[in-house]
Amino acid sequence: MSEAEMERLQSLLDKLPAPLEPLDISMLDGYLCGVLLQPKAVPDAQWLPAIFDSEGRPIPPGLDLAPAKGLILRRHKELNQAISQRQWFDPWVFELEEDADPSEVLMPWVAGFSLATELFPALMKQDGAELLEPLAMLYMHIDPDDLEDADELLEEIESMEPPADLEAAVESLVVATMLLADVARPQKDGSQMNTAARRPPQRKGPPVRGRY
């Protein structure tokens, strides 16, 4: 999806009336990955509503959600293809300022992922030992106080070296997603994450609007 389409989607979400609390597009991206990492495919009708209101309130009648849904389903398809093929994808995270802390930038994406796992817990019921490292790679970017009764996860996070910069943090986010896919959505041939997924794509210039 192009930058213009991303901005269009954010604009459509911003225009939803109160009291609806839609996800922003960075949270949306993490949420979609959390949905797609479930062991069994989640029907669209089950995961779409939370995007338009994270509290699950009913959508007021008369709202035309079709334009936003069309863009969301396109991103869902893009991410599904990347995860299925264990290929690099470009996460929707946006640098807040030049010297922003990587965790501050990635936190909305991880929060969206966390929302998906709360609504659809099947992923978290997979082999805990295999989930521990990739989950720690993601949850190191949120407040430890939000990780209740997760002593093993906190211990794993403490044992990790934080990413040196935003580019490394984003790369680890993609790697963690693929490692989770190896657990929840294993390849039919038994192969695991394509090592090419560990390498960011070549860039001709600085990311647009701080996008990585």
Side-chain angles (χ1 to χ4, degrees), residues 11-147:
S11 176
L12 291 169
L13 294 173
D14 287 341
K15 290 177 181 178
L16 291 176
L20 299 181
E21 296 182 10
L23 307 184
D24 66 29
I25 63 171
S26 185
M27 290 185 67
L28 163 64
D29 211 52
Y31 176 79
L32 290 178
C33 284
V35 168
L36 287 165
L37 287 170
Q38 299 304 315
K40 293 184 178 180
V42 182
D44 297 351
Q46 292 184 20
W47 59 259
L48 271 167
I51 294 173
F52 301 111
D53 185 68
S54 59
E55 298 296 324
R57 286 170 287 229
I59 303 298
L63 282 181
D64 182 12
L65 299 178
K69 284 183 179 179
L71 292 169
I72 292 166
L73 290 172
R74 281 185 56 197
R75 181 57 173 170
H76 179 273
K77 183 178 180 180
E78 286 180 350
L79 290 170
N80 186 46
Q81 181 176 349
I83 291 171
S84 297
Q85 298 178 3
R86 302 299 193 269
Q87 295 296 319
W88 174 271
F89 63 93
D90 206 6
W92 288 358
V93 297
F94 302 90
E95 190 168 358
L96 304 176
E97 53 189 41
E98 186 174 351
D99 58 348
D101 179 82
S103 289
E104 187 178 3
V105 176
L106 267 60
M107 184 173 60
W109 196 101
V110 178
F113 172 87
S114 180
L115 175 62
T117 61
E118 290 173 12
L119 296 177
F120 310 105
L123 169 65
M124 306 300 272
K125 295 179 180 179
Q126 301 300 295
D127 188 324
E130 293 186 353
L131 293 177
L132 191 59
E133 179 185 1
L135 287 178
M137 293 168 70
L138 296 179
Y139 285 119
M140 69 164 55
H141 300 296
I142 66 174
D143 190 332
D145 292 340
D146 293 334
L147 300 175

Side-chain angles (χ1 to χ4, degrees), residues 87-91 169-179 193 197:
Q87 295 296 319
W88 174 271
F89 63 93
D90 206 6
V170 171
E171 184 175 350
S172 71
L173 182 154
V174 177
V175 171
T177 299
M178 298 305 171
L179 290 173
M193 182 182 65

Side-chain angles (χ1 to χ4, degrees), residues 145-179:
D145 292 340
D146 293 334
L147 300 175
E148 298 180 359
D149 302 320
D151 293 342
E152 283 188 307
L153 182 57
L154 288 168
E155 185 176 345
E156 182 72 15
I157 291 172
E158 291 176 0
S159 72
M160 290 181 166
E161 188 73 23
D165 52 32
L166 183 54
E167 185 172 357
V170 171
E171 184 175 350
S172 71
L173 182 154
V174 177
V175 171
T177 299
M178 298 305 171
L179 290 173

